[in-house]
Structures are given as structure tokens and as C-alpha cells.
């Protein structure tokens, strides 16, 4: 288990009598109920991730490096202040207003073939800022069925380089510290960023996957920073992850072969992911979840009335070999940095 010990609150029921006094007696119903309640509470708590603050990591990076190496992720509380969150969300809202007249291009991890209908748009997003729409927000003719602010899936993939607000966030010295001290990245390079909206009622499912599939290096060095900009809950589609799954093989590779985007096999071994071991990562706004690119993770559709906005950033080690077949490529005049 990756939980911290639970200290249960004292019961309002009187203490259960000892054996010499209770032989032949039935426990009062209230005591049995409280015992069951405490047992359930302990079980639920055991599914919660360990959480820490950046200050703790800075004081003892080796302990948290070992935890990251073991489990494949860390959950860091209060990484952003409410004021910082507002600045980032306001900037994203400006993008939505500016891009509301753009021809809709859908992003879906369920129906990835939709991206082949707009390959140039997808490839061009690597070094700039593009908007992608929710699949369920378009009608049969490809027209938006709701206001742009309620239809957008994400803004991507060059926010970290092409916008001052997101560049400052992505290049926070704490991110560099985590990259070097926790991830053990020798030469951190920022390669991809996304503002994810996870819209109310239509926020799409993200199927179980490993980010290394899409950002492939030799050796594997992809790492992720995922920052909750709203509370992420079971209701609105929080992240789920399988602790320790970053040690499993990366079985597939998403490539651009010169004409189309497609998923290819990386190994002959079938992917065997035991989703029953997945842990829900319910976190408050401002929390950072950083994880290994090979960690198996996913999120369910958002059918709730609340959105689940987040900012995601991926880095690689500049000392590794970046695959020439990765869909995400930048020109020589605009390299990763």
C-alpha cells in the first residue's frame, strides 16, 4: 500500500467490555456499526496516494527519489497558490475566446483515427498553440453544438515556449529541481505542454496508456508534470495510476510514418495491465502530480456538472536519443529547450 497510517477518531460509543465482562453478551449495534465504519474508512484511506509538500522534498530529495523510483509518481500539495491558478486559468480563457472561430479539430484517445483527418494541424501544433475540441461537442456535420468555452478539449502543444504565462509556469525553478533531483534527468528539455479542460458532462475518457508511447526516447526518459487547476475527484474524472507500473514494458509506439499517424507494436509481448491495482489520485486545485513516462495511467469520462481543468507538461533528457518517428517534432530553428 502507498498510504499513510490512519488515526481514527474516538468513537462516541462506550468502549467494548473485555472478555471477562462480555462473555455471552452481544455487542451493542452502535459499536458494531462504528467498528465497520472505521474498517471501511481505513480501506478507503489506504487507496489514497501519499502526499507531501515541495519543502519536504527539498529537505530530503533522496527519500522522495526512492519513493518515485518505487511507485512511479509523487503527489505534491500546494504547488500553486490560488492567485497563480487564477492567472493560468484566465490566460487559458483568453485562448478559448481567440480561437472560437477556428475550424473544429477533434482530439480523442478513443478514436485516434480522427487526427488523421487533420494531420497538418496536429503536426503543426508541436511548435505552436492549437485548440482541439471534444468529440461529443460536434454534430454530424462537424459543427460545435455548444459555446466554445464548453466544447474545447485542450490547448496544445507549445504553450511552454510560445506564451509568457505558461513559459514561466513550466520553467518554475521547482520543476527544474524535481527533474534533476527526483527524476535524475541530466539535461531537462521541455517538449510538450497541454491545457486540459475535461469539460462537464462531455469530458472524454483517456484510456490506460504510457506517455512514453507518444514521446519515445532511447533510453526512456519521458517524465510528466500534471498540475490540477481545479479539484480533481472521482466524479469529474481524476487521474488513476497503477503504482509501480512504470517498470513494465512499453508495448506500443505512436508514430508519424510520413503519411499518417498510427500506433505500432514496440514489443511482441501483449500489454498486461492489472487495472484492479489502479489508485485514484483525487487532489485539490494547486496540486502537482509528477510521474514517470512509463507509468500506466488513465481517467474516466467526466459526466459530472463540474469541469476538471489541469496543465500538463512533458520533459525528456537531452542526453537521450529522441526518436525521429515521434509525431512530436520541432525544426532546427525551433529546437526543444
Amino acid at each position: 500500500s502507498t498510504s499513510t497510517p490512519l488515526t481514527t477518531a474516538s468513537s462516541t460509543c462506550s468502549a467494548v467490555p473485555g472478555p471477562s465482562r462480555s462473555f455471552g453478551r452481544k455487542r451493542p449495534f452502535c459499536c458494531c456499526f462504528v467498528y465497520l465504519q472505521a474498517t471501511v474508512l481505513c480501506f478507503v484511506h489506504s487507496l489514497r496516494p501519499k502526499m507531501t509538500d515541495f519543502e519536504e522534498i527539498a529537505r530530503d530529495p533522496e527519500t522522495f527519489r526512492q519513493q518515485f523510483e518505487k511507485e512511479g509518481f509523487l503527489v505534491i500539495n500546494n504547488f500553486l497558490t490560488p492567485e497563480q491558478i487564477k492567472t493560468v486559468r484566465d490566460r487559458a480563457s483568453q485562448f478559448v475566446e481567440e480561437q472560437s472561430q477556428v475550424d473544429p479539430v477533434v482530439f480523442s484517445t478513443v478514436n485516434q483515427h480522427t487526427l488523421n483527418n487533420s494531420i497538418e494541424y496536429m503536426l503543426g501544433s508541436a511548435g505552436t498553440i492549437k485548440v482541439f475540441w471534444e468529440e461529443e461537442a460536434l454534430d454530424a456535420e462537424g459543427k460545435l453544438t455548444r459555446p466554445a468555452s464548453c466544447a474545447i478539449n485542450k490547448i496544445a502543444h507549445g504553450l511552454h515556449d510560445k506564451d509568457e504565462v505558461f513559459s514561466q509556469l513550466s520553467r518554475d525553478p521547482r520543476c527544474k529541481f524535481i527533474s534533476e533531483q527526483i527524476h535524475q534527468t541530466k539535461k531537462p528539455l521541455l517538449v510538450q505542454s497541454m491545457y486540459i479542460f475535461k469539460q462537464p458532462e462531455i469530458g472524454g475518457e483517456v484510456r490506460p496508456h504510457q506517455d512514453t508511447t507518444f514521446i519515445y526516447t532511447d533510453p526512456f526518459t519521458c517524465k510528466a508534470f500534471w498540475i490540477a487547476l481545479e479539484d480533481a475527484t472521482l466524479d469529474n474524472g481524476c487521474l488513476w495510476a497503477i503504482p509501480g507500473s512504470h517498470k513494465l514494458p512499453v508495448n506500443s509506439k505512436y508514430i508519424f510514418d510520413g503519411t499518417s499517424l498510427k500506433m505500432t507494436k514496440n514489443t511482441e509481448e501483449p500489454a498486461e495491465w492489472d487495472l484492479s491495482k489502479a489508485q485514484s489520485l483525487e487532489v485539490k486545485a494547486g496540486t502537482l502530480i509528477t510521474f514517470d513516462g512509463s507509468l500506466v495511467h488513465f481517467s474516466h469520462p467526466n459526466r459530472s456538472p463540474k469541469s476538471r481543468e489541469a496543465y500538463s507538461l512533458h520533459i525528456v533528457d537531452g542526453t537521450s536519443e529522441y526518436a525521429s518517428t515521434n509525431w512530436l517534432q520541432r525544426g532546427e530553428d525551433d529546437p526543444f529547450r
Side-chain angles (χ1 to χ4, degrees), residues 89 146 150 197-203 230-231 233-237 301-309:
R89 294 188 67 191
R146 58 190 67 209
C150 301
F197 290 83
K198 200 76 168 180
Q199 296 286 359
E201 300 178 348
I202 63 168
E230 295 182 288
D231 292 353
T233 68
L234 291 175
D235 290 335
N236 67 4
N302 181 10
R303 302 305 183 197
S304 80
K306 296 182 178 181
S307 58
R308 191 227 64 191
E309 296 182 15

Side-chain angles (χ1 to χ4, degrees), residues 9-296:
S10 58
S11 169
T12 55
C13 296
S14 58
V16 178
S20 62
R21 297 173 58 191
S22 63
F23 181 79
R25 297 181 184 177
K26 292 183 179 179
R27 290 185 178 181
F29 173 77
C30 64
C31 290
C32 293
F33 177 76
V34 170
Y35 176 79
L36 176 62
Q37 198 174 37
T39 301
V40 171
L41 184 59
C42 284
F43 175 73
V44 171
H45 185 87
S46 72
L47 298 180
R48 294 176 182 171
K50 285 181 180 177
M51 296 187 183
T52 187
D53 291 317
F54 178 77
E55 289 71 19
E56 293 182 67
I57 294 176
R59 285 194 297 268
D60 186 11
E62 178 57 22
T63 294
F64 291 97
R65 184 198 66 76
Q66 292 177 14
Q67 182 182 326
F68 184 84
E69 184 177 335
K70 177 184 177 183
E71 299 181 352
F73 66 93
L74 283 178
V75 180
I76 304 170
N77 288 322
N78 305 313
F79 193 76
L80 293 188
T81 65
E83 293 74 22
Q84 290 172 314
I85 293 172
K86 183 179 185 304
T87 297
V88 174
R89 294 188 67 191
D90 286 349
R91 185 66 185 113
S93 295
Q94 291 176 5
F95 277 122
V96 175
E97 292 176 8
E98 295 167 2
Q99 299 294 326
S100 60
Q101 303 304 314
V102 174
D103 290 338
V105 174
V106 167
F107 181 83
S108 170
T109 65
V110 177
N111 299 311
Q112 291 181 340
H113 65 274
T114 57
L115 294 175
N116 275 314
N117 298 328
S118 308
I119 288 180
E120 290 186 9
Y121 189 89
M122 179 68 173
L123 298 179
S125 70
T128 185
I129 301 172
K130 302 279 189 181
V131 297
F132 297 82
W133 307 92
E134 284 287 354
E135 191 171 17
E136 294 183 33
L138 274 62
D139 61 21
E141 297 179 354
K143 303 297 184 182
L144 293 177
T145 60
R146 58 190 67 209
S149 61
C150 301
I152 193 168
N153 172 286
K154 68 178 181 179
I155 306 169
H157 288 97
L159 287 160
H160 58 284
D161 278 342
K162 307 303 177 181
D163 180 80
E164 183 177 354
V165 170
F166 287 97
S167 179
Q168 289 181 359
L169 172 57
S170 304
R171 291 178 167 80
D172 187 304
R174 295 172 298 172
C175 291
K176 186 173 187 292
F177 181 91
I178 291 169
S179 290
E180 295 176 344
Q181 300 297 320
I182 305 302
H183 302 157
Q184 297 289 285
T185 302
K186 297 182 178 67
K187 184 182 178 182
L189 294 179
L190 284 60
V191 299
Q192 175 182 268
S193 51
M194 300 178 286
Y195 191 103
I196 304 166
F197 290 83
K198 200 76 168 180
Q199 296 286 359
E201 300 178 348
I202 63 168
E205 171 190 9
V206 178
R207 291 184 171 177
H209 67 285
Q210 297 161 296
D211 290 349
T212 296
T213 293
F214 304 90
I215 304 175
Y216 202 89
T217 63
D218 185 15
F220 299 155
T221 61
C222 176
K223 302 293 186 295
F225 292 81
W226 189 96
I227 303 174
L229 300 173
E230 295 182 288
D231 292 353
T233 68
L234 291 175
D235 290 335
N236 67 4
C238 67
L239 289 183
W240 288 73
I242 304 177
S245 59
H246 61 301
K247 298 178 182 179
L248 298 174
V250 176
N251 298 90
S252 55
K253 189 175 178 181
Y254 189 69
I255 67 168
F256 176 60
D257 64 4
T259 58
S260 64
L261 296 163
K262 63 183 182 181
M263 193 71 74
T264 62
K265 282 188 175 182
N266 190 45
T267 70
E268 293 302 319
E269 303 175 38
E272 296 182 356
W273 299 337
D274 185 354
L275 299 185
S276 69
K277 295 181 179 178
Q279 186 177 67
S280 61
L281 303 181
E282 293 186 89
V283 297
K284 294 292 185 181
T287 302
L288 166 65
I289 303 175
T290 183
F291 55 91
D292 191 282
S294 297
L295 183 78
V296 178

